[in-house]
């Protein structure tokens, strides 16, 4: 098993350094859910299909290692609230060993 460390800042501003497996084909949203860093029902509402923006996060470092945004992700971010230049949908970020040390902040949740 090959784990990496990721620091996730929750919506209250608390930083959590967690381990994320690189050998299970997971994405960042699944890691956030696995560690219960966002209240149930406020992240990954669409199940990780890039059809909502509830898993939006802000990439704090390693942006150059992120996969390019696909059409679906770009389209969803165009419609989302609280979008910043470093916004990504965490469901579109696969967990890979190059992301060891990644820092992200979960975007605010908008129930509307």
């Amino acid at each position: 098993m090959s784990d990496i460390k990721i620091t996730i800042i929750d919506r209250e501003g608390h930083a959590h350094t967690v381990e994320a497996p690189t050998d299970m084909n997971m994405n960042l949203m699944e890691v956030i859910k696995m560690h219960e860093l966002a209240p149930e029902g406020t992240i990954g509402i669409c199940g990780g299909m890039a059809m909502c923006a509830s898993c939006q996060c802000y990439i704090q470092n390693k942006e150059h290692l992120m996969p390019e945004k696909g059409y679906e992700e770009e389209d969803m971010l165009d419609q989302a609230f609280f979008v910043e230049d470093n916004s990504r949908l965490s469901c579109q970020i696969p967990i890979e060993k190059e992301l060891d040390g990644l820092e992200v902040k979960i975007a605010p949740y908008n129930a509307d």
Side-chain angles (χ1 to χ4, degrees):
M1 187 157 89
S2 179
D3 291 350
I4 62 172
K5 293 206 182 297
I6 297 175
T7 299
I8 300 167
I9 302 168
D10 64 27
R11 290 185 178 125
E12 286 75 43
H14 302 268
H16 308 267
T17 300
V18 300
E19 292 191 358
T22 60
D23 58 353
M24 294 181 65
N25 199 30
M26 293 180 78
N27 60 49
L28 181 57
M29 178 203 71
E30 294 168 324
V31 172
I32 291 169
K33 290 177 81 167
M34 178 175 72
H35 290 282
E36 300 178 351
L37 298 178
E40 187 73 29
T42 67
I43 192 163
I45 294 169
C46 72
M49 304 299 291
M51 297 176 71
C52 74
S54 65
C55 71
Q56 180 187 177
C57 65
Y58 307 122
I59 306 301
Q60 305 294 300
N61 67 351
K62 300 193 180 244
E63 282 186 82
H64 64 287
L65 297 175
M66 294 291 122
E68 286 202 31
K69 293 177 191 168
Y71 170 78
E72 294 85 5
E73 183 177 8
E74 288 276 6
D75 189 48
M76 202 73 274
L77 288 171
D78 281 345
Q79 302 173 45
F81 295 96
F82 314 113
V83 175
E84 302 288 339
D85 289 341
N86 59 343
S87 288
R88 294 297 302 264
L89 298 182
S90 62
C91 68
Q92 300 300 299
I93 300 173
I95 300 300
E96 298 174 339
K97 61 183 169 186
E98 294 80 23
L99 296 181
D100 190 36
L102 176 68
E103 295 178 20
V104 300
K105 181 177 181 182
I106 302 172
Y109 177 70
N110 183 16
D112 295 336

